[in-house]
Amino acid sequence: MAEPTAGSLGESGDDPLVIRDASSGAAVPDAFQRLWNPHRMAYIDAGREGRGRGHDDDCPFCEAPQKSDEDALIVARGEHAYVLLNLFPYNNGHLLVCPYRHVPLYDEAAPDELREIGELTQTAMRVLRAVSHCDGFNIGMNQGEVAGAGVAGHLHQHIVPRWQSDANFFPIIARTKSMSQLLGETRRLVAEGWPGDH
């Protein structure tokens, strides 16, 4: 069925999910637009229950390599570390580079892990530049919950592509980020652009 247009909202129809007459609803209309993101409830519920914070028994970065690349949003696998898309990205193409080993802090990582994290970061930048034509990057790590790490128990480096035109009022005023590409499509483009066997 085609998406309803603004002109069709007042018309009669068989679809119970389409609001036909806003005046008969159980609320008073206001000036706000709603951007529905029900997929975020998994993240909210996990936070409430203490899950998904990177503890040994429920670490998402330990679980991801056990899944298929498509299911885990993995774009490349190395010997000591791997690259995946952030499930809750700051920008399209927001990647994370993680060691396989469950280690929380940068100064606790082994030399081989650090070397490969650096190499994967360089490759990720080149691939993102090629497939998304970004103008720059934010790259960094939040170390510990007090520093803002969402998963403090497992080291991960953020690679966030940036464009000259990607700044607007949405994140500041509405605490909303407009994403122009679905995660699966982004994963496919980055994985296909990744050099060599992965």
Side-chain angles (χ1 to χ4, degrees):
M1 179 175 184
E3 288 290 323
T5 62
S8 70
L9 292 179
E11 299 170 3
S12 61
D14 297 329
D15 190 343
L17 298 179
V18 176
I19 297 173
R20 306 280 179 227
D21 181 7
S23 65
S24 65
V28 177
D30 57 27
F32 292 100
Q33 297 292 322
R34 268 67 178 182
L35 183 61
W36 300 101
N37 291 306
H39 63 278
R40 291 203 45 93
M41 279 309 297
Y43 183 73
I44 293 167
D45 287 343
R48 279 193 201 118
E49 297 165 17
R51 293 182 292 107
R53 293 297 180 193
H55 304 293
D56 291 341
D57 59 344
D58 69 346
C59 176
F61 298 137
C62 288
E63 292 175 9
Q66 322 280 332
K67 301 177 182 178
S68 71
D69 288 356
E70 290 78 10
D71 288 344
L73 299 175
I74 292 174
V75 299
R77 296 176 188 250
E79 185 179 350
H80 304 285
Y82 68 99
V83 184
L84 75 165
L85 282 174
N86 191 334
L87 187 57
F88 304 102
Y90 298 130
N91 259 347
N92 289 312
H94 180 169
L95 298 176
L96 303 172
V97 184
C98 307
Y100 293 109
R101 189 167 65 98
H102 188 81
V103 57
L105 300 172
Y106 188 76
D107 60 349
E108 296 176 8
D112 285 342
E113 291 168 330
L114 294 175
R115 176 190 50 77
E116 193 164 52
I117 288 169
E119 291 171 355
L120 290 171
T121 298
Q122 285 186 321
T123 302
M125 292 172 67
R126 293 180 187 120
V127 171
L128 286 169
R129 226 183 263 117
V131 302
S132 68
H133 311 289
C134 56
D135 301 309
F137 299 92
N138 293 114
I139 296 176
M141 300 180 182
N142 299 323
Q143 299 283 276
E145 283 190 37
V146 70
V151 181
H154 198 125
L155 178 67
H156 57 284
Q157 177 159 270
H158 295 261
I159 306 170
V160 183
R162 301 299 303 270
W163 292 265
Q164 290 291 344
S165 59
D166 72 0
N168 59 42
F169 70 91
F170 239 36
I172 297 166
I173 304 299
R175 296 192 57 81
T176 300
K177 189 70 180 173
S178 177
M179 308 304 294
S180 60
Q181 194 172 56
L182 295 175
L183 289 172
E185 177 65 7
T186 304
R187 193 213 72 81
R188 183 186 65 78
L189 289 171
V190 175
E192 287 177 359
W194 204 273
D197 297 330
H198 56 277

